[in-house]
Amino acid sequence: MSDFTSNFWSIYVAGITIVSIVACLLLLILTGKSKGMSTSDNTTGHVWDGDLREMNNPLPRWWAWLFVITIVFSFIYLALYPGLGTYGGKLGWTSVGQHQAEVDKGNAEVAPLYAKFSAMKPEDVAKDAQAMAIGERLFMNNCAQCHGSDARGNKGFPNLTDNDWLGGGTPEIIKADITKGRIAVMPPMAAAVGTAEDVKNLAQYVLSLSGSPHDSVQAALGKEKFAVCAACHGIDGKGNQTLGSANLTDNIWLHGYGEAAIVAMINEGKTNQMPAQADKLTEAQVHVLASYVWGLSNKGGIAAQ
Amino acid sequence: MNNKAFGNYKVIPIVHQEGFEPPRPPESADDGMLSLYASHQTIYPRSVSGLFSNWRWGMVWLTQIIFYGLPWLEWGQRQAVLFDLASRRFYIFGLVLYPQDFIYLTGILVISALSLFLFTAVAGRLWCGYACPQTVYTEIFLWIEKKVEGDRSARLRRDAQPWSLDRGMRKSTKHFLWLAVAFWTGFTFVGYFTPIKQHGVDLLQMSMGSWEVFWTFFYGFATYGNAGFMREQVCKHMCPYARFQSAMFDKDTLIVTYDTERGEPRGARSRKADPAQLNLGACVDCSLCVQVCPTGIDIRKGLQYECIGCGACADVCDEVMDKMGYARGLVKYTTEHAMQEHWTQSQTLRHVLRPRILVYTAILATIVIAMVTSLALRKPFRVDVIRDRGVMARVVEAGKIENVYRLQVMNATETDQRFKVTVSGLPGLEVTSDNELTVPAAQARWLVVRTQLPPEVAPPGSHPIKFEIESIDMHVHDAEKSVFLVPQ
């Protein structure tokens, strides 16, 4: 990858670098001698403020050699490392390469550990304190941004610590969700439901499904409209994990609680997406992470009933 | 004056006090151009004994017993003083310091700097002359050199002769001993960062880590080079402190001074002669003050930037004055003021306590007291409260508002500690997650804390709250501020 529009600028910059270094050497040679020293009293003959005189105490010669060594060093450095225009140096060092090498080294160090966990069943990994400490760190760095540090989610981001799973809560499904991500769509249903009044009635009916406070008259009116919803949410409104449709009969309101929130959902619909993590995490990491997430709702590695 | 004159010092009568005499003539070429660089002339300091020399040796013993001995002390199950860089823990006897305690390093540096200001204002380059590692190791190396090769005159004579078996043996013995001391110094230095006993075992088994190898040999080599070869050049050309210490001198600073009025006109004389009749001063021009000087200057020319204030010339001159039967103190610690005003010693010392010194002392005392107090009151644990990265606030069942925090709790002791977290600042605010945790010795743990607020208690916006963390075992409280967000 070239940083320059043409080769000229690379040569131009490299030229300035070389010329500057050579100029330093010349400066050292040319200023190493001086003329017109009055040597009688070891001063240079310069006087300031009437009585302040500059002494002529020569530096030790090794001091000048140190300067020469730095110049030699700079040429060796420029030959080995990037520094002259776009020339990459003999060693082929790059910061990206160094980072990659360190990442690889780190991965190689923890590989046996991950290999041990990969060979275990997720239910057993969830019982392993060391694996759970790793899982927690992976979660904090990759999942907590949306699902929260306590994994209890937020509006639009599911709670991972309860037993309500939109797509299923087995370790295999969790692993697949982390790897490939999930997309769930609720289409806008207002046209299929009917008037704005119908939508409000339907919302009251949905509230009634979970026994939340609602207007029973409106809910009764909205009940027949629910047929439109039943295709995905089921006749009983318990949702369908194959489709990823939400259970409407519990007290979990992923996209907001109350008539207004339900009405907005029916009218506008929603596309909710969990991004795929396959390119960020290795398979072994996903395995540990899925075990950790599974363990959040299945305490101590024992599956919840 | 040529360079050989160091050997048999020629008398050059001082005509005019300000007349500078070059330490060596600049090497002039035929074209009248002078080189600004000159090859280094080795200085052969003569050994000296006396009051100031004893002080210096006292400091050598004190500093080096501490330096070489400290890493071998044990404290419970660990090395008493260990700077564990890998796990970022500094162990100093009963104290464990963390990166968060960086302020104490600042404190130590400020105290060191102020001490330097204070000592320098009182008596010039005391640090340089008595306690600086450069001086201390040079002193040790000079002692080895003297034991093996003899004192100044013997060394000069041998170095002027062609190589012989005897000279080769002496030189190689000296360098072997130097290298041994230097290596042990490097080894000890690394012992502050790697447990020294393990380091010793690794050394014997040739299984040292690459950094241990590097630092042992680098520090050893630096000791060998600086104390064996560079010596006064470090002070003259490299040291930054030497450059600015003269700025802290004033008219009442005690500096090693030659009493010109008493000493001049100098000249050799018999011990029985009365100097007044010969029209001579007290200086017998024996040149010993020049021979003992580690920087190769002549103190009789007044204060010079090379002078490190070691007092060797004062010691040797007092010895000569005793032999001559004259009063001591021709070369002594005194001040510019005292020389001008002809004060007695007690008058001079009375001027030590001037405003500048009192101010330095007051600031220094304040910082030392503050640092000691702060260390004494240091909490045995540390807490950081971080609001959750993802969730601002959420509404949970029954309309309660929930905020999530992550608390990092660091155990600063060497025993496990249990902690309990409570929250205050808003009516009805409470921690609803697990609020107890155990942190193992000298470790840090994260705790996710959920707090809930009943609805309608606080208006939308940000509200200051406080987390109270209690160490159950130690009965120590700590409070950390944070904010609770109520959504619109």
Side-chain angles (χ1 to χ4, degrees):
Chain A
M1 193 193 91
S2 175
D3 307 316
F4 297 104
T5 48
S6 78
N7 212 19
F8 166 78
W9 291 111
S10 168
I11 294 163
Y12 174 80
V13 171
I16 289 179
T17 310
I18 300 275
V19 167
S20 304
I21 296 172
V22 173
C24 286
L25 187 60
L26 283 174
L27 185 75
L28 179 75
I29 293 166
L30 295 175
T31 57
K33 287 189 181 303
S34 172
K35 218 184 167 108
M37 294 276 187
S38 56
T39 55
S40 58
D41 61 353
N42 197 32
T43 62
T44 59
H46 300 152
V47 181
W48 293 270
D49 298 345
D51 61 350
L52 190 62
R53 288 173 297 161
E54 183 184 29
M55 291 202 68
N56 171 33
N57 286 320
L59 265 179
R61 188 155 287 138
W62 56 258
W63 193 274
W65 282 113
L66 288 180
F67 200 113
V68 174
I69 289 170
T70 60
I71 288 165
V72 172
F73 173 87
S74 64
F75 280 122
I76 294 171
Y77 177 90
L78 288 172
L80 296 178
Y81 288 95
L84 275 182
T86 50
Y87 174 64
K90 267 260 176 280
L91 296 181
W93 178 94
T94 60
S95 55
V96 175
Q98 183 179 343
H99 173 256
Q100 195 52 52
E102 281 170 24
V103 168
D104 291 346
K105 193 174 155 218
N107 285 341
E109 272 172 20
V110 294
L113 197 59
Y114 276 119
K116 185 180 99 181
F117 297 140
S118 295
M120 287 159 67
K121 290 219 303 284
E123 290 81 357
D124 297 333
V125 178
K127 287 182 203 156
D128 186 305
Q130 193 186 17
M132 287 303 94
I134 295 172
E136 184 184 28
R137 282 193 288 274
L138 286 171
F139 187 90
M140 289 297 171
N141 286 329
N142 296 287
C143 320
Q145 290 85 335
C146 299
H147 292 284
S149 293
D150 57 352
R152 286 179 174 242
N154 201 356
K155 192 177 167 183
F157 304 103
N159 182 343
L160 305 176
T161 63
D162 58 17
N163 281 305
D164 180 47
W165 293 94
L166 289 168
T170 64
E172 291 68 35
I173 294 175
I174 297 172
K175 214 189 269 196
D177 286 351
I178 295 172
T179 312
K180 302 197 201 83
R182 283 187 71 83
I183 292 191
V185 180
M186 158 131 182
M189 302 300 288
V193 174
T195 64
E197 200 57 38
D198 291 336
V199 173
K200 273 191 181 161
N201 294 341
L202 176 57
Q204 289 296 333
Y205 174 72
V206 171
L207 282 170
S208 76
L209 287 174
S210 52
S212 305
H214 60 279
D215 183 317
S216 51
V217 179
Q218 282 186 312
L221 288 171
K223 184 174 178 172
E224 59 184 89
K225 298 289 174 196
F226 192 75
V228 181
C229 318
C232 298
H233 290 281
I235 303 285
D236 52 2
K238 283 191 183 295
N240 180 339
Q241 291 190 335
T242 324
L243 296 170
S245 61
N247 182 349
L248 305 176
T249 64
D250 58 14
N251 265 316
I252 293 160
W253 300 95
L254 181 58
H255 301 290
Y257 167 74
E259 189 192 287
I262 299 169
V263 167
M265 201 69 189
I266 297 169
N267 286 342
E268 293 153 31
K270 189 156 193 180
T271 304
N272 217 21
Q273 179 181 13
M274 148 122 188
Q277 306 292 320
D279 55 345
K280 294 192 186 68
L281 300 167
T282 65
E283 224 166 295
Q285 285 177 319
V286 172
H287 183 76
V288 172
L289 192 48
S291 309
Y292 173 79
V293 172
W294 182 82
L296 290 173
S297 48
N298 302 277
K299 284 293 164 207
I302 296 139
Q305 294 308 311
Chain B
M1 171 183 147
N2 58 21
N3 295 318
K4 289 200 185 75
F6 273 132
N8 45 352
Y9 192 81
K10 281 203 293 242
V11 181
I12 297 165
I14 291 270
V15 214
H16 180 46
Q17 180 55 33
E18 286 176 14
F20 290 106
E21 178 199 326
R24 51 185 171 269
E27 289 151 45
S28 175
D30 295 340
D31 55 1
M33 294 291 272
L34 296 168
S35 173
L36 292 180
Y37 302 98
S39 57
H40 164 241
Q41 308 291 321
T42 313
I43 291 173
Y44 293 82
R46 186 189 179 107
S47 66
V48 64
S49 59
L51 173 65
F52 303 119
S53 173
N54 291 344
W55 269 105
R56 185 164 31 262
W57 274 106
M59 289 305 288
V60 170
W61 280 103
L62 177 71
T63 53
Q64 296 319 292
I65 283 173
I66 292 173
F67 175 75
Y68 291 115
L70 216 46
W72 298 98
L73 298 180
E74 295 285 319
W75 187 271
Q77 296 299 303
R78 57 163 171 87
Q79 192 169 309
V81 176
L82 181 68
F83 305 125
D84 189 346
L85 297 176
S87 62
R88 299 191 290 279
R89 300 276 179 273
F90 282 13
Y91 301 98
I92 301 162
F93 296 100
L95 195 66
V96 187
L97 293 174
Y98 299 80
Q100 288 83 348
D101 296 313
F102 199 77
I103 188 74
Y104 294 119
L105 178 63
T106 315
I108 287 171
L109 292 174
V110 170
I111 288 170
S112 305
L114 279 167
S115 307
L116 186 76
F117 298 169
L118 176 64
F119 286 126
T120 309
V122 171
R125 292 171 65 173
L126 278 184
W127 165 256
C128 305
Y130 298 92
C132 175
Q134 180 65 27
T135 293
V136 164
Y137 287 108
T138 301
E139 198 73 7
I140 294 169
F141 275 47
L142 270 169
W143 180 81
I144 293 172
E145 193 167 59
K146 189 181 95 176
K147 287 286 167 208
V148 176
E149 292 190 34
D151 206 354
R152 172 186 154 91
S153 49
R155 293 205 301 271
L156 274 164
R157 198 177 56 243
R158 272 208 193 83
D159 284 5
Q161 284 167 356
W163 282 97
S164 64
L165 185 66
D166 170 66
R167 186 179 164 196
M169 282 298 291
R170 284 176 193 274
K171 284 273 181 216
S172 44
T173 308
K174 176 183 81 172
H175 284 284
F176 173 77
L177 291 172
W178 276 5
L179 285 166
V181 172
F183 174 78
W184 193 245
T185 308
F187 175 84
T188 306
F189 173 75
V190 173
Y192 279 88
F193 301 91
T194 300
I196 197 161
K197 285 169 185 164
Q198 186 54 47
H199 185 39
V201 172
D202 289 347
L203 173 72
L204 295 175
Q205 295 176 342
M206 296 291 209
S207 61
M208 282 197 286
S210 53
W211 279 116
E212 277 88 353
V213 171
F214 171 79
W215 281 108
T216 300
F217 286 94
F218 177 80
Y219 200 84
F221 173 77
T223 307
Y224 175 70
N226 283 331
F229 300 90
M230 300 300 287
R231 291 187 182 170
E232 82 292 342
Q233 297 186 82
V234 173
C235 315
K236 277 164 69 174
H237 304 297
M238 294 152 77
C239 177
Y241 301 113
R243 304 283 79 79
F244 72 78
Q245 283 193 76
S246 52
M248 295 172 227
F249 287 25
D250 58 27
K251 282 195 154 193
D252 291 306
T253 302
L254 288 161
I255 39 181
V256 180
T257 311
Y258 166 69
D259 190 340
T260 315
E261 282 182 41
R262 204 190 125 195
E264 298 301 322
R266 64 185 77 163
R269 82 287 310 264
S270 148
R271 245 198 302 186
K272 297 181 188 73
D274 176 15
Q277 285 192 328
L278 293 169
N279 198 14
L280 286 171
C283 175
V284 299
D285 208 4
C286 63
S287 86
L288 283 177
C289 56
V290 179
Q291 295 182 33
V292 297
C293 180
T295 64
I297 57 168
D298 184 346
I299 191 66
R300 293 172 297 178
K301 291 180 194 162
L303 178 64
Q304 290 147 76
Y305 82 94
E306 294 96 335
C307 175
I308 57 166
C310 68
C313 47
D315 274 340
V316 81
C317 191
D318 280 345
E319 227 173 87
V320 172
M321 291 297 113
D322 288 352
K323 276 185 193 143
M324 296 299 295
Y326 300 167
R328 287 183 157 210
L330 179 59
V331 180
K332 62 169 182 276
Y333 270 99
T334 184
T335 68
E336 196 185 333
H337 240 148
M339 293 302 282
Q340 281 173 355
E341 312 285 331
H342 302 287
W343 284 336
T344 60
Q345 200 170 14
S346 58
Q347 281 175 307
T348 310
L349 292 178
R350 218 170 302 146
H351 282 76
V352 166
L353 292 177
R354 52 197 187 274
R356 178 184 199 169
I357 303 296
L358 296 174
V359 169
Y360 280 152
T361 312
I363 297 173
L364 188 60
T366 310
I367 292 176
V368 169
I369 290 166
M371 186 154 156
V372 170
T373 313
S374 158
L375 272 173
L377 298 177
R378 192 167 157 261
K379 293 244 159 56
F381 61 92
R382 261 177 187 282
V383 181
D384 276 319
V385 177
I386 297 164
R387 280 193 52 83
D388 188 61
R389 287 187 278 185
V391 181
M392 294 265 281
R394 55 188 170 218
V395 182
V396 292
E397 63 271 9
K400 283 188 171 180
I401 295 147
E402 192 174 73
N403 274 212
V404 182
Y405 303 83
R406 297 179 75 213
L407 267 61
Q408 190 184 39
V409 186
M410 198 173 79
N411 180 354
T413 63
E414 292 183 86
T415 50
D416 294 6
Q417 280 191 77
R418 287 179 304 144
F419 296 98
K420 190 172 177 199
V421 180
T422 50
V423 67
S424 64
L426 287 169
L429 184 68
E430 54 178 357
V431 175
T432 53
S433 59
D434 198 6
N435 69 340
E436 286 199 17
L437 87 158
T438 303
V439 183
Q443 301 240 341
R445 285 283 178 274
W446 285 99
L447 177 70
V448 175
V449 175
R450 266 193 314 283
T451 58
Q452 286 187 353
L453 185 71
E456 313 294 323
V457 167
S462 157
H463 304 278
I465 57 164
K466 240 200 206 143
F467 282 97
E468 298 271 351
I469 298 94
E470 185 193 2
S471 169
I472 299 170
D473 311 306
M474 301 195 137
H475 308 292
V476 184
H477 280 267
D478 199 1
E480 274 292 320
K481 284 189 224 151
S482 189
V483 292
F484 189 95
L485 296 183
V486 178
Q488 294 285 354

